[in-house]
């Protein structure tokens, strides 16, 4: 049973409009306590990659600053349990303590998703449960898939059988997908054991036992573009489906969100060329997924169009570099001023958070 007509959707659906399933859910979770969350997420958007031995895809990182911090001094960290009852009990405890919980579902098992989806981790937010029989869920993601099917946001109550079906262990997820989940906050976090159902809990920020950074990360737009051109040219030559398309699609959505937010709240001292630069970058990111998909499909039909890949990625690198320079953000490692969650939330305010409706309107301040 799925009831998608619950009126608790309100502003939460607009909060993550245009983002990936990971970041739309993460934003909704954070914004309940941190009014700076929309700006923090937008300003952190960047595309970094860690090279891998070809033909393996590189690892991607989509945020320049960590997005796991909460105003009360806690940080989000993954937890896992193999048994459904244990995992559901943990979700119920988080909802009771915090008013909501972020957890990983299988995109292929969502009752409200278009049919025929492949297994993939998909973040949802749960905000209520009734006697273990009904769960109140929110899916803030919306998007159009390459096959023309559209997924729209969902907010409502699902039955325990549906919850059991979508809250699966991660056995069907690929190593690439698991790596994406580990990088969701902009830095690598410990992974839950394979074969478990996964959710996020809160721990004191000073007690996090994170995995040490390893390897080299490429952050300069020209270097990222050059690497991706070579990688995609090699993959398309064998008519394979490039795994990086999903990451570049997500990066496109993150950067569109960033530039839309900036254009909606310009600084008074901006010169006209700054707005023009932002719009050029926005246009390049908006057109990137379609251009790459067209090139890949052409290669599969025996008509490689590597020039399309070169043009799209090199044009994007130039637009990104120009936008950053005009915004005074030339440091490729730290693209935006580091911001931390507001710490003005009082104990009284935090206690009432447990009873608030799940609404997270976008704030541009």
């Amino acid at each position: 049973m799925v009831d998608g007509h619950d009126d608790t959707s309100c502003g939460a659906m607009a909060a993550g409009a245009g983002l990936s399933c990971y970041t739309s859910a993460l934003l909704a979770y954070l914004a309940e306590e941190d009014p700076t969350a929309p700006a923090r997420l937008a300003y952190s958007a960047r595309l970094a990659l860690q090279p891998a031995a070809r033909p393996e895809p590189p690892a991607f990182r989509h945020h320049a600053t960590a997005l796991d911090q909460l105003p009360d001094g806690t940080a989000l960290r993954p937890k896992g349990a193999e048994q459904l009852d244990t995992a559901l009990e943990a979700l119920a405890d988080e909802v009771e303590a915090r008013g909501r919980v972020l957890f990983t579902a299988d995109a292929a098992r969502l009752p409200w998703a278009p049919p025929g989806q492949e297994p993939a981790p998909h973040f949802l937010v749960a905000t209520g449960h009734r006697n273990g029989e009904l769960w109140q869920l929110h899916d803030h993601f919306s998007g159009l898939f390459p096959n023309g099917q559209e997924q729209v946001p969902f907010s409502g109550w699902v039955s325990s059988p549906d919850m059991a079906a979508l809250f699966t262990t991660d056995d069907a997820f690929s190593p690439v997908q698991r790596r994406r989940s580990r990088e969701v906050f902009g830095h690598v976090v410990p992974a839950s054991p394979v074969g478990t159902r996964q959710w996020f809990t809160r721990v004191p920020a000073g007690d996090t036992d994170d995995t040490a950074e390893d390897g080299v990360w490429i952050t300069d737009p020209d270097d990222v573009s050059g690497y991706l051109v070579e990688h995609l040219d090699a993959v398309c030559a064998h008519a394979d489906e490039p795994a990086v398309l999903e990451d570049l699609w997500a990066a496109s959505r993150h950067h569109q969100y960033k530039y839309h937010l900036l254009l909606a709240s310009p600084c008074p001292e901006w010169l006209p060329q700054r707005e023009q630069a932002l719009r050029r970058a926005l246009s390049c990111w908006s057109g990137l997924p379609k251009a790459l998909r067209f090139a890949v499909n052409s290669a599969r039909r025996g008509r490689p169009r590597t020039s399309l890949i070169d043009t799209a990625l090199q044009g994007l690198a130039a637009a990104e570099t120009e936008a950053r320079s005009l915004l005074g953000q030339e440091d490729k490692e730290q693209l935006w001023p580091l911001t931390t969650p507001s710490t003005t939330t009082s104990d009284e305010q935090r206690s009432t958070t447990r009873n608030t409706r799940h609404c997270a309107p976008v704030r541009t301040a």
Side-chain angles (χ1 to χ4, degrees):
M1 182 191 79
V2 178
D3 176 9
H5 302 286
D6 191 273
D7 65 358
T8 56
S9 58
C10 54
M13 292 307 183
L19 292 170
S20 68
C21 81
Y22 281 179
T23 48
S24 58
L26 176 59
L27 173 58
Y29 185 98
L30 295 175
E32 288 286 349
E33 295 177 51
D34 179 15
T36 70
R40 289 179 60 221
L41 188 145
Y43 297 161
S44 75
R46 69 105 176 260
L47 184 62
L49 62 82
Q50 188 177 67
R54 292 187 175 89
E56 294 299 314
F60 286 87
R61 188 167 287 173
H62 295 269
H63 306 288
T65 58
L67 298 174
D68 54 337
Q69 307 292 309
L70 276 297
D72 64 353
T74 61
L76 287 167
R77 286 297 178 272
K79 296 284 286 184
E82 181 178 358
Q83 297 301 317
L84 177 63
D85 290 345
T86 303
L88 290 177
E89 183 178 355
L91 293 193
D93 289 344
E94 284 289 321
V95 170
E96 178 64 23
R98 305 290 181 179
R100 65 206 187 284
V101 60
L102 185 69
F103 72 99
T104 305
D106 186 345
R109 295 171 176 263
L110 302 178
W112 55 86
Q117 302 304 311
E118 295 293 327
H122 189 98
F123 283 6
L124 301 176
V125 179
T127 58
H129 64 103
R130 295 175 181 168
N131 302 319
E133 296 299 322
L134 292 173
W135 288 85
Q136 189 176 36
L137 304 183
H138 308 272
D139 184 356
H140 299 81
F141 170 75
S142 63
L144 188 66
F145 296 103
N147 60 8
Q149 294 181 315
E150 182 180 14
Q151 183 164 334
V152 297
F154 170 85
S155 183
W157 294 86
V158 303
S159 66
S160 53
D162 281 332
M163 186 65 171
L166 64 87
F167 191 23
T168 62
T169 58
D170 69 347
D171 306 76
F173 302 156
S174 70
V176 170
Q177 290 170 332
R178 294 192 189 98
R179 179 62 187 264
R180 288 181 187 134
S181 297
R182 295 184 65 194
E183 298 284 356
V184 67
F185 299 125
H187 64 102
V188 67
V189 296
S192 299
V194 177
T196 59
R197 295 171 169 84
Q198 298 173 5
W199 68 95
F200 291 89
T201 189
R202 304 267 280 270
V203 301
D207 294 348
T208 56
D209 183 21
D210 292 346
T211 303
E213 294 289 336
D214 60 344
V216 176
W217 286 90
I218 300 174
T219 59
D220 180 86
D222 290 325
D223 294 338
V224 170
S225 171
Y227 183 95
L228 289 173
V229 166
E230 292 182 10
H231 177 81
L232 285 168
D233 286 351
V235 173
C236 287
H238 295 86
D240 293 331
E241 172 73 9
V244 300
L245 289 187
E246 291 188 26
D247 291 280
L248 294 177
W249 173 84
S252 168
R253 290 172 74 92
H254 297 154
H255 283 81
Q256 289 181 68
Y257 182 84
K258 173 182 70 177
Y259 287 120
H260 278 304
L261 196 67
L262 283 169
L263 289 166
S265 53
C267 298
E269 65 272 15
W270 278 13
L271 298 175
Q273 60 263 39
R274 290 190 179 183
E275 180 176 348
Q276 294 170 6
L278 295 183
R279 293 194 182 280
R280 277 193 292 271
L282 173 60
S283 177
C284 286
W285 279 111
S286 300
L288 182 67
K290 184 176 181 180
L292 296 183
R293 173 58 62 183
F294 183 81
V296 168
N297 288 341
S298 293
R300 284 178 159 179
R301 293 192 295 268
R303 301 179 61 187
R305 297 176 181 269
T306 55
S307 61
L308 290 179
I309 297 174
D310 296 357
T311 299
L313 287 169
Q314 291 174 6
L316 175 63
E320 270 289 286
T321 299
E322 180 187 24
R324 295 179 189 184
S325 176
L326 290 174
L327 289 169
Q329 296 159 340
E330 299 183 27
D331 181 354
K332 304 301 191 300
E333 269 309 314
Q334 183 176 311
L335 310 183
W336 301 94
L338 286 172
T339 57
T340 55
S342 169
T343 56
T344 59
T345 305
S346 66
D347 291 338
E348 180 180 356
Q349 289 172 315
R350 284 195 295 271
S351 67
T352 58
T353 299
R354 293 170 51 185
N355 299 316
T356 57
R357 294 156 72 100
H358 191 63
C359 304
V362 172
R363 298 173 175 85
T364 58

